[in-house]
Amino acid sequence: MSWISGVIDIVQDNSSAKRKQRQFGGLLLVLLLLIFCVSVYKDGFIFNAKQINRTIGFVGVSIITLLLPMLFYPFLFVWLFVGNILGEISSFVILGIVYYLLFFPITFVLRIINKKKTTIGWIDKEESIDYEKLY
């Protein structure tokens, strides 16, 4: 489980950077704007309670992003930690799928045909050399 402590160290370094915190705030702003646009598309621009709350949330997040991006630290830490763990898991899954869908059938077919790969550079010689006749 030492890889988890390595992931935690990386995530702490990344989430404490002010630039990353601002980027995370920008991501939240884009998501809130997208949610507001979907609400306007579905209900129309009537400014009901939902749209007012979404507007207040958008303004609040933009103020935090511009003035105090360090408030995003705990949320960014969790976001990056979950992302790194999922990245570690999915890379093994993807590599396993690539192996069993690409390399395994090729080697299986080559073993059935009983051909050996010579692309490595090794060539098997059939004849044997008598080393006593060399001298």
Side-chain angles (χ1 to χ4, degrees):
M1 292 303 216
S2 65
W3 64 275
I4 291 179
S5 63
V7 168
I8 289 174
D9 291 338
I10 292 170
V11 168
Q12 277 181 335
D13 290 340
N14 284 336
S15 60
S16 63
K18 197 169 214 171
R19 181 173 178 242
K20 294 284 186 179
Q21 293 168 353
R22 286 190 191 265
Q23 288 176 346
F24 185 70
L27 174 68
L28 289 178
L29 286 174
V30 169
L31 289 176
L32 288 173
L33 184 64
L34 184 67
I35 290 170
F36 180 75
C37 289
V38 168
S39 173
V40 168
Y41 178 73
K42 282 185 175 182
D43 300 333
F45 195 68
I46 56 175
F47 243 37
N48 57 7
K50 287 182 182 179
Q51 290 178 356
I52 291 172
N53 288 338
R54 290 180 181 139
T55 305
I56 291 171
F58 182 80
V59 170
V61 169
S62 41
I63 290 172
I64 291 172
T65 300
L66 293 174
L67 300 178
L68 296 169
M70 66 189 100
L71 294 177
F72 291 129
Y73 176 78
F75 304 109
L76 181 60
F77 182 83
V78 170
W79 179 266
L80 291 176
F81 183 74
V82 170
N84 279 336
I85 297 298
L86 289 177
E88 292 286 331
I89 293 170
S90 66
S91 66
F92 285 116
V93 171
I94 290 171
L95 286 175
I97 290 171
V98 166
Y99 174 77
Y100 282 110
L101 290 180
L102 185 69
F103 297 121
F104 179 72
I106 293 171
T107 57
F108 187 71
V109 168
L110 287 175
R111 286 183 185 175
I112 287 176
I113 296 174
N114 202 11
K115 288 187 177 180
K116 294 183 181 178
K117 293 169 57 174
T118 58
T119 59
I120 299 174
W122 295 97
I123 299 173
D124 295 333
K125 292 191 174 184
E126 298 289 330
E127 63 187 59
S128 63
I129 299 174
D130 188 14
Y131 292 105
E132 292 178 359
K133 290 183 180 179
L134 292 175
Y135 297 106

mmCIF file with all atom_site columns, all heavy atoms in Angstrom, residues 88-98:
data_model
loop_
_atom_site.group_PDB
_atom_site.id
_atom_site.type_symbol
_atom_site.label_atom_id
_atom_site.label_alt_id
_atom_site.label_comp_id
_atom_site.label_asym_id
_atom_site.label_entity_id
_atom_site.label_seq_id
_atom_site.pdbx_PDB_ins_code
_atom_site.Cartn_x
_atom_site.Cartn_y
_atom_site.Cartn_z
_atom_site.occupancy
_atom_site.B_iso_or_equiv
_atom_site.pdbx_formal_charge
_atom_site.auth_seq_id
_atom_site.auth_comp_id
_atom_site.auth_asym_id
_atom_site.auth_atom_id
_atom_site.pdbx_PDB_model_num
ATOM 1  N N   . GLU A 1 88 ? -5.105  4.591  -11.890 1.00 0.00 ? 88 GLU A N   1
ATOM 2  C CA  . GLU A 1 88 ? -4.283  3.404  -11.630 1.00 0.00 ? 88 GLU A CA  1
ATOM 3  C C   . GLU A 1 88 ? -5.043  2.119  -11.948 1.00 0.00 ? 88 GLU A C   1
ATOM 4  O O   . GLU A 1 88 ? -4.512  1.200  -12.562 1.00 0.00 ? 88 GLU A O   1
ATOM 5  C CB  . GLU A 1 88 ? -3.826  3.381  -10.165 1.00 0.00 ? 88 GLU A CB  1
ATOM 6  C CG  . GLU A 1 88 ? -2.857  4.463  -9.789  1.00 0.00 ? 88 GLU A CG  1
ATOM 7  C CD  . GLU A 1 88 ? -1.467  4.224  -10.328 1.00 0.00 ? 88 GLU A CD  1
ATOM 8  O OE1 . GLU A 1 88 ? -1.092  3.046  -10.509 1.00 0.00 ? 88 GLU A OE1 1
ATOM 9  O OE2 . GLU A 1 88 ? -0.769  5.207  -10.585 1.00 0.00 ? 88 GLU A OE2 1
ATOM 10 N N   . ILE A 1 89 ? -6.288  2.067  -11.518 1.00 0.00 ? 89 ILE A N   1
ATOM 11 C CA  . ILE A 1 89 ? -7.090  0.859  -11.735 1.00 0.00 ? 89 ILE A CA  1
ATOM 12 C C   . ILE A 1 89 ? -7.398  0.671  -13.214 1.00 0.00 ? 89 ILE A C   1
ATOM 13 O O   . ILE A 1 89 ? -7.241  -0.421 -13.762 1.00 0.00 ? 89 ILE A O   1
ATOM 14 C CB  . ILE A 1 89 ? -8.387  0.923  -10.901 1.00 0.00 ? 89 ILE A CB  1
ATOM 15 C CG1 . ILE A 1 89 ? -8.047  0.854  -9.417  1.00 0.00 ? 89 ILE A CG1 1
ATOM 16 C CG2 . ILE A 1 89 ? -9.342  -0.186 -11.277 1.00 0.00 ? 89 ILE A CG2 1
ATOM 17 C CD1 . ILE A 1 89 ? -9.210  1.147  -8.500  1.00 0.00 ? 89 ILE A CD1 1
ATOM 18 N N   . SER A 1 90 ? -7.810  1.743  -13.884 1.00 0.00 ? 90 SER A N   1
ATOM 19 C CA  . SER A 1 90 ? -8.222  1.599  -15.275 1.00 0.00 ? 90 SER A CA  1
ATOM 20 C C   . SER A 1 90 ? -7.047  1.289  -16.187 1.00 0.00 ? 90 SER A C   1
ATOM 21 O O   . SER A 1 90 ? -7.215  0.625  -17.206 1.00 0.00 ? 90 SER A O   1
ATOM 22 C CB  . SER A 1 90 ? -8.946  2.860  -15.748 1.00 0.00 ? 90 SER A CB  1
ATOM 23 O OG  . SER A 1 90 ? -8.069  3.950  -15.775 1.00 0.00 ? 90 SER A OG  1
ATOM 24 N N   . SER A 1 91 ? -5.841  1.748  -15.851 1.00 0.00 ? 91 SER A N   1
ATOM 25 C CA  . SER A 1 91 ? -4.697  1.421  -16.704 1.00 0.00 ? 91 SER A CA  1
ATOM 26 C C   . SER A 1 91 ? -4.428  -0.073 -16.692 1.00 0.00 ? 91 SER A C   1
ATOM 27 O O   . SER A 1 91 ? -4.139  -0.662 -17.746 1.00 0.00 ? 91 SER A O   1
ATOM 28 C CB  . SER A 1 91 ? -3.462  2.198  -16.259 1.00 0.00 ? 91 SER A CB  1
ATOM 29 O OG  . SER A 1 91 ? -3.049  1.791  -14.973 1.00 0.00 ? 91 SER A OG  1
ATOM 30 N N   . PHE A 1 92 ? -4.554  -0.723 -15.542 1.00 0.00 ? 92 PHE A N   1
ATOM 31 C CA  . PHE A 1 92 ? -4.364  -2.171 -15.501 1.00 0.00 ? 92 PHE A CA  1
ATOM 32 C C   . PHE A 1 92 ? -5.468  -2.886 -16.265 1.00 0.00 ? 92 PHE A C   1
ATOM 33 O O   . PHE A 1 92 ? -5.220  -3.860 -16.977 1.00 0.00 ? 92 PHE A O   1
ATOM 34 C CB  . PHE A 1 92 ? -4.323  -2.677 -14.056 1.00 0.00 ? 92 PHE A CB  1
ATOM 35 C CG  . PHE A 1 92 ? -3.039  -2.367 -13.357 1.00 0.00 ? 92 PHE A CG  1
ATOM 36 C CD1 . PHE A 1 92 ? -3.027  -1.528 -12.264 1.00 0.00 ? 92 PHE A CD1 1
ATOM 37 C CD2 . PHE A 1 92 ? -1.849  -2.915 -13.784 1.00 0.00 ? 92 PHE A CD2 1
ATOM 38 C CE1 . PHE A 1 92 ? -1.851  -1.235 -11.613 1.00 0.00 ? 92 PHE A CE1 1
ATOM 39 C CE2 . PHE A 1 92 ? -0.665  -2.631 -13.155 1.00 0.00 ? 92 PHE A CE2 1
ATOM 40 C CZ  . PHE A 1 92 ? -0.659  -1.789 -12.062 1.00 0.00 ? 92 PHE A CZ  1
ATOM 41 N N   . VAL A 1 93 ? -6.682  -2.409 -16.147 1.00 0.00 ? 93 VAL A N   1
ATOM 42 C CA  . VAL A 1 93 ? -7.796  -3.033 -16.859 1.00 0.00 ? 93 VAL A CA  1
ATOM 43 C C   . VAL A 1 93 ? -7.623  -2.875 -18.362 1.00 0.00 ? 93 VAL A C   1
ATOM 44 O O   . VAL A 1 93 ? -7.793  -3.836 -19.132 1.00 0.00 ? 93 VAL A O   1
ATOM 45 C CB  . VAL A 1 93 ? -9.141  -2.430 -16.380 1.00 0.00 ? 93 VAL A CB  1
ATOM 46 C CG1 . VAL A 1 93 ? -10.287 -2.888 -17.247 1.00 0.00 ? 93 VAL A CG1 1
ATOM 47 C CG2 . VAL A 1 93 ? -9.397  -2.810 -14.929 1.00 0.00 ? 93 VAL A CG2 1
ATOM 48 N N   . ILE A 1 94 ? -7.259  -1.686 -18.809 1.00 0.00 ? 94 ILE A N   1
ATOM 49 C CA  . ILE A 1 94 ? -7.087  -1.443 -20.237 1.00 0.00 ? 94 ILE A CA  1
ATOM 50 C C   . ILE A 1 94 ? -5.931  -2.259 -20.792 1.00 0.00 ? 94 ILE A C   1
ATOM 51 O O   . ILE A 1 94 ? -6.038  -2.851 -21.876 1.00 0.00 ? 94 ILE A O   1
ATOM 52 C CB  . ILE A 1 94 ? -6.891  0.063  -20.509 1.00 0.00 ? 94 ILE A CB  1
ATOM 53 C CG1 . ILE A 1 94 ? -8.207  0.792  -20.250 1.00 0.00 ? 94 ILE A CG1 1
ATOM 54 C CG2 . ILE A 1 94 ? -6.414  0.311  -21.927 1.00 0.00 ? 94 ILE A CG2 1
ATOM 55 C CD1 . ILE A 1 94 ? -8.089  2.286  -20.273 1.00 0.00 ? 94 ILE A CD1 1
ATOM 56 N N   . LEU A 1 95 ? -4.820  -2.328 -20.061 1.00 0.00 ? 95 LEU A N   1
ATOM 57 C CA  . LEU A 1 95 ? -3.699  -3.141 -20.525 1.00 0.00 ? 95 LEU A CA  1
ATOM 58 C C   . LEU A 1 95 ? -4.053  -4.618 -20.577 1.00 0.00 ? 95 LEU A C   1
ATOM 59 O O   . LEU A 1 95 ? -3.630  -5.333 -21.482 1.00 0.00 ? 95 LEU A O   1
ATOM 60 C CB  . LEU A 1 95 ? -2.479  -2.912 -19.631 1.00 0.00 ? 95 LEU A CB  1
ATOM 61 C CG  . LEU A 1 95 ? -1.774  -1.580 -19.822 1.00 0.00 ? 95 LEU A CG  1
ATOM 62 C CD1 . LEU A 1 95 ? -0.666  -1.428 -18.792 1.00 0.00 ? 95 LEU A CD1 1
ATOM 63 C CD2 . LEU A 1 95 ? -1.216  -1.468 -21.211 1.00 0.00 ? 95 LEU A CD2 1
ATOM 64 N N   . GLY A 1 96 ? -4.846  -5.087 -19.616 1.00 0.00 ? 96 GLY A N   1
ATOM 65 C CA  . GLY A 1 96 ? -5.294  -6.478 -19.658 1.00 0.00 ? 96 GLY A CA  1
ATOM 66 C C   . GLY A 1 96 ? -6.186  -6.756 -20.839 1.00 0.00 ? 96 GLY A C   1
ATOM 67 O O   . GLY A 1 96 ? -6.065  -7.791 -21.514 1.00 0.00 ? 96 GLY A O   1
ATOM 68 N N   . ILE A 1 97 ? -7.082  -5.837 -21.135 1.00 0.00 ? 97 ILE A N   1
ATOM 69 C CA  . ILE A 1 97 ? -7.962  -6.010 -22.293 1.00 0.00 ? 97 ILE A CA  1
ATOM 70 C C   . ILE A 1 97 ? -7.161  -6.004 -23.587 1.00 0.00 ? 97 ILE A C   1
ATOM 71 O O   . ILE A 1 97 ? -7.394  -6.828 -24.479 1.00 0.00 ? 97 ILE A O   1
ATOM 72 C CB  . ILE A 1 97 ? -9.045  -4.907 -22.301 1.00 0.00 ? 97 ILE A CB  1
ATOM 73 C CG1 . ILE A 1 97 ? -10.035 -5.142 -21.155 1.00 0.00 ? 97 ILE A CG1 1
ATOM 74 C CG2 . ILE A 1 97 ? -9.784  -4.861 -23.630 1.00 0.00 ? 97 ILE A CG2 1
ATOM 75 C CD1 . ILE A 1 97 ? -11.008 -4.006 -20.938 1.00 0.00 ? 97 ILE A CD1 1
ATOM 76 N N   . VAL A 1 98 ? -6.198  -5.089 -23.703 1.00 0.00 ? 98 VAL A N   1
ATOM 77 C CA  . VAL A 1 98 ? -5.357  -5.039 -24.905 1.00 0.00 ? 98 VAL A CA  1
ATOM 78 C C   . VAL A 1 98 ? -4.574  -6.340 -25.055 1.00 0.00 ? 98 VAL A C   1
ATOM 79 O O   . VAL A 1 98 ? -4.464  -6.901 -26.160 1.00 0.00 ? 98 VAL A O   1
ATOM 80 C CB  . VAL A 1 98 ? -4.404  -3.823 -24.854 1.00 0.00 ? 98 VAL A CB  1
ATOM 81 C CG1 . VAL A 1 98 ? -3.304  -3.926 -25.896 1.00 0.00 ? 98 VAL A CG1 1
ATOM 82 C CG2 . VAL A 1 98 ? -5.195  -2.543 -25.047 1.00 0.00 ? 98 VAL A CG2 1
#
